């Protein structure tokens, strides 16, 4: 729950970074939250465990929280970093897709409500 509260602030920071440097506006907190349900399903392989610990380290550093030394991961290999970047791109695509779908549904509902709107008409006698 504490990490979820950090996502809007991290998104704002990531959007500013993307505007200057380019990249994907998805931070480590959001990637960590996205991976969390997967960790509950079954054990992950070494690479993804390492990526998860890296995101955990970055998220806890962002929140200024102390990290146990056995969970502290400062860097990733090039391969793991590419995997994390691919995950962040996937998360961003899903976020944009969800936003477009939500806008499309709202537009349909607005059009449907206009069609159902009944206007009372006063009969004119003269």
């Amino acid at each position: 729950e504490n990490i979820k509260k950090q996502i809007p602030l991290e998104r704002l920071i990531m959007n500013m970074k993307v505007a200057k440097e380019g990249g994907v506006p998805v931070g480590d907190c959001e990637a960590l939250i996205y991976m969390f349900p997967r960790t509950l399903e079954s054990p992950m392989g070494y690479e993804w465990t390492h990526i998860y610990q890296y995101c955990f380290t970055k998220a806890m550093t962002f929140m200024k929280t102390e990290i146990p030394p056995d969970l502290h991961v400062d860097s990733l290999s090039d391969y793991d970093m590419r995997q994390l970047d691919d995950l962040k791109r996937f998360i961003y695509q899903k976020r944009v897709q969800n936003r477009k779908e939500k806008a499309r549904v709202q537009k349909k509902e607005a059009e449907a409500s206009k069609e159902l709107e009944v206007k009372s008409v006063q009969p004119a006698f003269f």
Side-chain angles (χ1 to χ4, degrees):
E1 290 298 319
N2 291 336
I3 296 173
K4 274 186 181 179
K5 294 175 187 175
Q6 299 300 318
I7 290 177
L9 178 60
E10 189 182 43
R11 280 184 182 173
L12 180 63
I13 293 169
M14 291 304 295
N15 282 330
M16 292 181 350
K17 279 185 182 178
V18 167
K20 289 182 181 179
E21 303 166 7
V24 182
V26 176
D28 295 314
C29 290
E30 194 167 356
L32 181 71
I33 292 291
Y34 193 85
M35 286 190 285
F36 178 71
R38 172 58 181 89
T39 63
L40 300 175
E41 286 180 12
S42 63
M44 295 189 301
Y46 171 77
E47 292 88 8
W48 283 103
T49 303
H50 203 66
I51 292 169
Y52 186 79
Q53 287 177 324
Y54 174 79
C55 289
F56 174 77
T57 301
K58 294 295 183 183
M60 292 298 117
T61 303
F62 184 74
M63 294 172 45
K64 296 178 174 58
T65 305
E66 189 176 334
I67 305 158
D70 57 333
L71 297 178
H72 200 275
V73 175
D74 283 327
S75 63
L76 291 175
S77 67
D78 291 339
Y79 176 77
D80 290 343
M81 192 56 85
R82 281 193 304 272
Q83 293 285 61
L84 179 58
D85 288 342
D86 289 344
L87 175 67
K88 288 180 177 182
R89 267 189 231 95
F90 174 78
I91 292 169
Y92 182 70
Q93 288 171 353
K94 288 296 181 182
R95 196 167 72 193
V96 168
Q97 182 182 15
N98 189 19
R99 192 178 319 133
K100 285 180 180 179
E101 180 67 23
K102 198 174 187 179
R104 188 181 62 78
V105 167
Q106 287 177 346
K107 186 177 179 182
K108 269 188 175 181
E109 288 175 355
E111 289 173 359
S113 68
K114 280 185 179 180
E115 287 179 9
L116 295 177
E117 192 175 290
V118 177
K119 295 182 180 178
S120 61
V121 177
Q122 280 275 348
F125 294 112
F126 300 103

